[in-house]
Amino acid sequence: MKIKSLDALQIFDSRGNPTVEVIATLEDGTTGHGLVPSGASTGHHEALELRDGDKSRFRGKSVFKAVSHVTGEIARTAIGRDVFDQAGLDAALIALDGTPGKSRLGANAILGTSMAVAQAAANARRVPLYESLGGGQGTLLPLPEIQIFGGGKHAQGRIDIQDFMIMALTAQTYEETLEVTANVFHAAADVMRERGLLAGVADEGGYWPMFDRNEDVFDALMASIERAGYTPGHEVGISLDIAATDLFHEGHYTLGLEQRRFTSEQFAALMIEWVTKYPIVSIEDPMAEDDWAGWKIVREAIGQRCQLIGDDHFTTNIERIERGIVANTANAVLIKLNQIGTVTETIAAIHRTQAAGWLPVVSARSGETEDAFIAHLAVATNAGQLKVGSFSRSERMAKWNEVLRIQRLLGSRARFIGAGIFASAGIQLP
Ligand code: PGA
Ligand code: ZN
């Protein structure tokens, strides 16, 4: 089955910023859409999101050039190719771009195409996307990592730490993880309301962080878990994304809220202290992207008992993941399609992570769309974990809900191991 045409348009993400949608049409009329997400706390090693930079239009954020690259050069390369040869198409797009960071055509133009073709292939096969992407091997429903309080760049720096999240540790089913999360999410609103701190939500749907100290958030989070009727560290674990790259300037880490400044060793010690003090089961980007020595300190101290996820540290880039595996800086990798720019490279990053005995965590971006591609990607690859932001706003709920639908489609083939995924990577939660 051949690709007959590619179309593209500028649409808008969950922050109201322009992004790319690509529509692939096959020779039998089958179509597939790919909607590209967009980050705010982006790593320096990510593939390039091409924006027009014309300040007179959409504050410089329009993506008309990327759209025209899809309908021009990219379409000329893709048309006539076999829709089932995703790897061949993605390799051809990488070669056509010709730069290491996909900066000529734009990773947004390339990824939109790659996703649209993957979806068209599934539609042509008349199977769900997870089935097509995973070659029928994907059956594991993910353990969700769900934000309760948003911070960092997703809340205009109101607090320093980016994500305060929970994971349902004793849930026996995917539905039960959502029930636990819903209970904690709504209990958190009650706690914030009582404290006079309820003020809407941040970019990923978690409550706006009206706190004066980063550690006050732990207190509110523990109170919310308890208010919902759970014991922190038993039914519900705490999970953090420090997004430490954003806190690292000129050789120092800064917590602006408390006007505290840290060396790399001191900041690593703070991360280790928090893990001993609170029931934290996972920390993402505890150290800045290129602070390999800092990462090693944290990994050696707490890597046996806590998931340590590299996001900006690895940028879904197999070469950086490889370096991390050799240097043993983490034990998990955040997986974001648009950090690397093709479906094939994303799946290769997941497989490399799994081959090392590490854990992939499939993730959304802070700027999202209604596309639920990542729910399918998580199941297709048996990744075991999914991070989508909070439990509100439809661009987030679209993904959580899609996993419920996938579960129905899988029927008796569906598997759920929940927090059992940690033991599979040698992480023994205390
Ligand atoms: P981003 O945030 O999409 O703004 O990069 C998500 C994350 O850091 O995990
Ligand atoms: Zn992150």
Side-chain angles (χ1 to χ4, degrees):
M1 178 76 70
K2 292 197 169 102
I3 300 168
K4 191 174 122 208
S5 66
L6 283 187
D7 194 8
L9 67 157
Q10 173 173 295
I11 59 162
F12 297 89
D13 70 15
S14 54
R15 283 191 280 244
N17 290 327
T19 189
V20 178
E21 173 167 354
V22 178
I23 304 133
T25 303
L26 309 183
E27 54 189 352
D28 71 346
T30 299
T31 59
H33 293 241
L35 284 65
V36 179
S38 173
S41 71
T42 49
H44 292 100
H45 306 286
E46 293 193 20
L48 182 99
E49 177 181 74
L50 185 66
R51 296 202 178 268
D52 299 334
D54 172 358
K55 293 281 179 232
S56 72
R57 303 202 66 190
F58 299 99
R59 299 170 168 239
K61 287 182 181 285
S62 59
V63 292
F64 296 121
K65 269 185 221 152
V67 163
S68 72
H69 288 158
V70 175
T71 53
E73 276 188 69
I74 291 177
R76 286 195 292 279
T77 298
I79 289 170
R81 295 193 66 97
D82 175 8
V83 70
F84 301 124
D85 180 16
Q86 184 80 39
L89 170 78
D90 289 342
L93 296 180
I94 292 165
L96 176 69
D97 175 81
T99 70
K102 301 184 177 66
S103 56
R104 194 177 73 79
L105 296 170
N108 42 359
I110 293 171
L111 178 64
T113 304
S114 186
M115 289 167 74
V117 169
Q119 184 65 64
N123 296 349
R125 287 182 172 119
R126 302 190 189 291
V127 298
L129 181 58
Y130 70 86
E131 196 80 35
S132 177
L133 274 182
Q137 300 301 305
T139 54
L140 184 63
L141 304 175
L143 174 67
E145 191 185 12
I146 302 189
Q147 187 193 69
I148 302 298
F149 300 107
K153 282 198 173 155
H154 305 158
Q156 297 182 28
R158 180 64 187 74
I159 56 169
D160 300 289
I161 308 306
Q162 183 181 286
D163 296 313
F164 286 84
M165 298 170 287
I166 57 164
M167 301 183 89
L169 302 178
T170 54
Q172 296 298 307
T173 61
Y174 175 74
E175 287 107 316
E176 201 184 326
T177 67
L178 298 189
E179 184 168 354
V180 170
T181 301
N183 289 338
V184 176
F185 182 70
H186 296 298
D190 296 339
V191 167
M192 293 296 272
R193 194 179 300 111
E194 281 168 19
R195 297 182 181 186
L197 303 177
L198 191 62
V201 299
D203 284 2
E204 296 191 357
Y207 297 108
W208 187 262
M210 293 288 286
F211 299 101
D212 295 327
R213 293 182 329 133
N214 290 290
E215 291 196 43
D216 290 350
V217 198
F218 287 113
D219 175 60
L221 190 50
M222 305 277 278
S224 307
I225 294 168
E226 283 163 2
R227 174 70 63 95
Y230 306 114
T231 307
H234 179 52
E235 293 98 340
V236 180
I238 293 179
S239 144
L240 305 173
D241 182 359
I242 307 295
T245 302
D246 293 332
L247 308 178
F248 188 72
H249 306 283
E250 290 158 13
H252 282 86
Y253 292 84
T254 312
L255 292 179
L257 199 54
E258 296 145 33
Q259 304 198 347
R260 288 168 76 191
R261 204 158 170 260
F262 304 82
T263 63
S264 172
E265 289 80 3
Q266 289 166 339
F267 200 72
L270 180 69
M271 294 301 108
I272 296 161
E273 183 196 320
W274 281 358
V275 168
T276 18
K277 212 159 144 192
Y278 303 105
I280 296 169
V281 297
S282 177
I283 309 188
E284 180 179 329
D285 282 352
M287 307 302 289
E289 54 196 358
D290 292 320
D291 185 0
W292 295 84
W295 272 93
K296 265 193 86 68
I297 296 174
V298 175
R299 172 70 175 83
E300 271 162 29
I302 53 175
Q304 302 303 317
R305 54 177 290 187
C306 182
Q307 175 170 251
L308 297 169
I309 312 172
D311 172 12
D312 295 345
H313 185 44
F314 296 131
T315 56
T316 317
N317 181 317
I318 206 158
E319 283 159 26
R320 290 187 68 86
I321 296 168
E322 197 70 55
R323 188 176 159 195
I325 290 166
V326 171
N328 204 24
T329 52
N331 55 30
V333 178
L334 204 75
I335 301 290
K336 290 167 166 169
L337 285 150
N338 78 327
Q339 280 182 327
I340 192 69
T342 64
V343 172
T344 303
E345 289 167 289
T346 305
I347 291 176
I350 295 173
H351 289 162
R352 184 65 194 96
T353 302
Q354 290 169 324
W358 285 18
L359 301 174
V361 181
V362 174
S363 174
R365 297 306 306 240
S366 50
E368 264 299 327
T369 72
E370 58 272 36
D371 195 328
F373 193 105
I374 57 168
H376 290 267
L377 180 65
V379 175
T381 56
N382 296 309
Q385 293 177 80
L386 181 62
K387 178 190 184 203
V388 184
S390 195
F391 206 65
S392 73
R393 300 179 52 136
S394 284
E395 81 279 5
R396 312 289 147 189
M397 302 316 295
K399 280 69 160 176
W400 303 130
N401 289 340
E402 189 73 357
V403 177
L404 289 168
R405 294 185 197 101
I406 293 172
Q407 178 173 21
R408 291 207 144 204
L409 292 169
L410 277 168
S412 61
R413 289 169 62 215
R415 294 183 298 131
F416 180 77
I417 59 168
I421 194 81
F422 294 127
S424 75
I427 301 165
Q428 301 300 336
L429 303 181

